[in-house]
Amino acid sequence: MGFVNGNRMPTTDKVCIHWRAGRCTRNPCQYRHSELPQQSSNNNNGMGSRRSPVTQPSDHGNFSGENFFSRRKPNIYNRADTQPPSNCGKDHGQGAGAVRGPGFRAPLKTQNKICTYWVADKCSYGESCRFLHQWFVSDSFTMLTQLAGHEKKKVISGIAFPEGSDKLYTGSKDGTVRVWDCRSGQCAAVLDLGSEVGCVINEGPWVFVGIKNCVKAWNTQANNELTLNGPSGLVNALAVHNDMLFAGTQDGSILVWKFVAASNCFEPAAALQGHRGSVVTLIVGANRLYSGSMDNTIRVWELETLQCIYTLTDHTSVVMSVLCWDQYLLSCSLDKTIKVWALTMSGNLEVVHTHKEEHGLLALSGMPDAQGKPVLICSCNDNTVRLYDLPTFTERGKIYAKEETRAIQTGPGGLFFTGDGNGDLKVWKWSEQSPEAASTMQQ
């Protein structure tokens, strides 16, 4: 065994990662304290050097003067140019590039895990780190900014846009609703409700907030506030159709109020019973109300009669979110699946496609991309948000967070928002160019 510079020769050809970071204290060390000789281009085992496809977030401090309300909020409903999800499930992968340094080949980037040391501002590897140093992976969208204000470690549970307003409303388990100025990105007001917020929605100029044992309603144009009593426990979900407001409650019931224009108030209309667990999600589509519950079922209610006409039992765990797309119903669950439902010739709702994930799913939202193609946004309980083209479920990108993302809201101008369990609220925007055009430019 020989010596180099007075030290015993290493017993392996591996380079000491602690030496690379400048903090190895072993002498002698069994690993190399020098870089491996650079291999010739004729002996690289077919591994070429190419840039990582990961997109860097934009360094905007605010919403960059976006005119949020230049057109109505986009959605993915009633699109005639979409195809039925019979072609669902095409695979789509993202390759990882090899980054070559001055005298060595750094580890391949691991595209499916964020660096926990980078999140804590403690990673010493910099660009040579094999884990992600950014909050997303996509060529289709970018992060505009992050809005700080809600209490840390408290879940952001709802995000809403009132029509005709330049304000964004967000609710949190910290017991507040924050009002954000869309042009400056600054918090304009804080409403202390004295109770954790279960959900936030808007309809026209109204903002509705579900809290414990009641629903708060604000008319942002008339500047008046209403309190709707009746719920038992936390209100987890809200939905509006025409002049009716629906509230899904902790005790499994769905309360209904009817708006009376003459008095500018809401009057109790009905209480829908049937779920055996808390109602956690509501959506209205095709003149029906769909409710998902902790009892693992979806109930379908006829709006004219307020009667339950179907009970869907294909999920095996909590139904966390339901969404209407074209003539289909989409649902996600902690059973790690997204199910696509369609009406059969007999008039029954049946599953026509099941998309499986590795983790439980928490929330669904949808919007068109910059080219008008429908995109499904879904959050998982591994602290990620996945974006998929419909109907193929081809992956368009992935968003990372410190905690689970519970609130997703879309907006005009290609904007969308995510709020997570760490209290972080992020603003995203779809790129104007198509992924195909971006790929061509990179080549």
Side-chain angles (χ1 to χ4, degrees):
M1 178 174 291
F3 290 80
V4 175
N5 297 328
N7 294 323
R8 189 179 297 273
M9 288 285 288
T11 59
T12 176
D13 284 336
K14 293 183 177 179
V15 178
C16 175
I17 61 174
H18 300 288
W19 171 79
R20 280 180 177 166
R23 57 171 183 257
C24 183
T25 59
R26 294 183 179 181
N27 187 14
C29 178
Q30 62 175 322
Y31 299 104
R32 292 178 62 96
H33 278 201
S34 63
E35 300 296 352
L36 293 172
Q38 186 171 3
Q39 297 178 355
S40 67
S41 58
N42 295 327
N43 185 25
N44 61 3
N45 297 323
M47 294 296 292
S49 177
R50 53 197 174 95
R51 295 171 64 98
S52 171
V54 179
T55 306
Q56 296 294 336
S58 297
D59 187 20
H60 293 285
N62 53 42
F63 294 179
S64 302
E66 293 284 348
N67 184 2
F68 285 3
F69 301 95
S70 58
R71 60 178 185 268
R72 290 182 62 85
K73 184 171 68 175
N75 57 59
I76 59 173
Y77 308 133
N78 302 321
R79 289 188 52 82
D81 58 339
T82 55
Q83 299 296 322
S86 57
N87 297 325
C88 290
K90 291 184 180 179
D91 292 332
H92 178 74
Q94 295 186 0
V99 181
R100 192 177 296 277
F104 69 100
R105 183 165 62 84
L108 293 178
K109 285 288 184 181
T110 301
Q111 300 291 351
N112 61 352
K113 186 175 181 181
I114 196 168
C115 176
T116 56
Y117 294 97
W118 173 77
V119 171
D121 294 324
K122 295 180 180 179
C123 183
S124 59
Y125 288 99
E127 292 183 358
S128 65
C129 181
R130 59 193 295 255
F131 299 109
L132 292 172
H133 280 200
Q134 55 196 23
W135 292 115
F136 70 105
V137 179
S138 179
D139 291 323
S140 300
F141 59 86
T142 188
M143 191 177 90
L144 291 184
T145 190
Q146 181 170 321
L147 306 179
H150 281 294
E151 184 178 339
K152 290 297 182 182
K153 299 299 181 181
K154 296 291 186 179
V155 176
I156 294 178
S157 50
I159 307 171
F161 287 103
E163 185 176 315
S165 173
D166 61 353
K167 299 297 189 295
L168 175 74
Y169 288 71
T170 59
S172 167
K173 299 294 185 181
D174 65 11
T176 68
V177 168
R178 285 184 173 262
V179 186
W180 306 87
D181 186 294
C182 294
R183 301 188 184 279
S184 67
Q186 300 300 310
C187 181
V190 179
L191 309 176
D192 190 352
L193 302 182
S195 168
E196 64 177 297
V197 175
C199 55
V200 182
I201 68 166
N202 70 277
E203 180 68 18
W206 289 93
V207 174
F208 301 97
V209 180
I211 60 175
K212 189 174 182 180
N213 300 330
C214 76
V215 175
K216 292 286 188 179
W218 287 275
N219 188 313
T220 59
Q221 293 179 355
N223 293 321
N224 65 319
E225 176 185 343
L226 301 175
T227 299
L228 311 181
N229 296 309
S232 177
L234 184 64
V235 176
N236 300 305
L238 291 164
V240 176
H241 176 71
N242 292 337
D243 57 353
M244 289 189 293
L245 171 67
F246 302 91
T249 65
Q250 192 171 351
D251 68 355
S253 61
I254 303 172
L255 299 187
V256 186
W257 289 269
K258 194 174 184 68
F259 180 70
V260 180
S263 57
N264 196 37
C265 66
F266 292 84
E267 295 183 354
L272 312 184
Q273 306 292 340
H275 282 296
R276 291 175 286 104
S278 298
V279 176
V280 295
T281 179
L282 295 171
I283 195 72
V284 174
N287 204 37
R288 290 173 177 174
L289 173 71
Y290 302 91
S291 57
S293 169
M294 294 186 70
D295 64 11
N296 306 349
T297 70
I298 301 169
R299 284 184 172 260
V300 185
W301 309 83
E302 184 68 56
L303 289 179
E304 293 182 358
T305 62
L306 296 180
Q307 298 297 311
C308 180
I309 56 177
Y310 300 117
T311 300
L312 310 178
T313 60
D314 289 47
H315 282 295
T316 59
S317 188
V318 179
V319 179
M320 295 296 296
S321 185
V322 287
L323 180 71
C324 292
W325 167 59
D326 200 17
Q327 69 268 38
Y328 302 98
L329 173 71
L330 281 70
S331 60
C332 73
S333 167
L334 295 182
D335 65 11
K336 305 178 184 179
T337 67
I338 300 173
K339 294 188 181 294
V340 183
W341 307 77
L343 282 172
T344 64
M345 295 296 292
S346 61
N348 297 320
L349 271 172
E350 293 185 0
V351 175
V352 295
H353 176 71
T354 297
H355 173 79
K356 297 181 180 179
E357 291 282 354
E358 295 182 2
H359 303 274
L361 293 121
L362 304 175
L364 296 177
S365 187
M367 68 184 300
D369 66 9
Q371 287 70 47
K373 299 177 181 178
V375 176
L376 178 68
I377 309 173
C378 57
S379 64
C380 304
N381 61 9
D382 64 342
N383 301 349
T384 66
V385 176
R386 315 294 178 95
L387 291 89
Y388 295 107
D389 279 330
L390 290 178
T392 61
F393 278 90
T394 302
E395 186 168 328
R396 292 289 297 274
K398 186 185 295 185
I399 294 171
Y400 298 88
K402 293 182 180 180
E403 300 289 345
E404 299 170 346
T405 295
R406 294 301 184 107
I408 306 171
Q409 177 64 49
T410 61
L415 293 170
F416 64 99
F417 300 80
T418 57
D420 62 42
N422 192 58
D424 295 333
L425 176 65
K426 296 185 177 71
V427 185
W428 309 87
K429 190 179 192 316
W430 282 97
S431 303
E432 293 301 325
Q433 63 185 10
S434 65
E436 293 81 4
S439 176
T440 302
M441 291 179 64
Q442 289 177 357
Q443 293 175 0

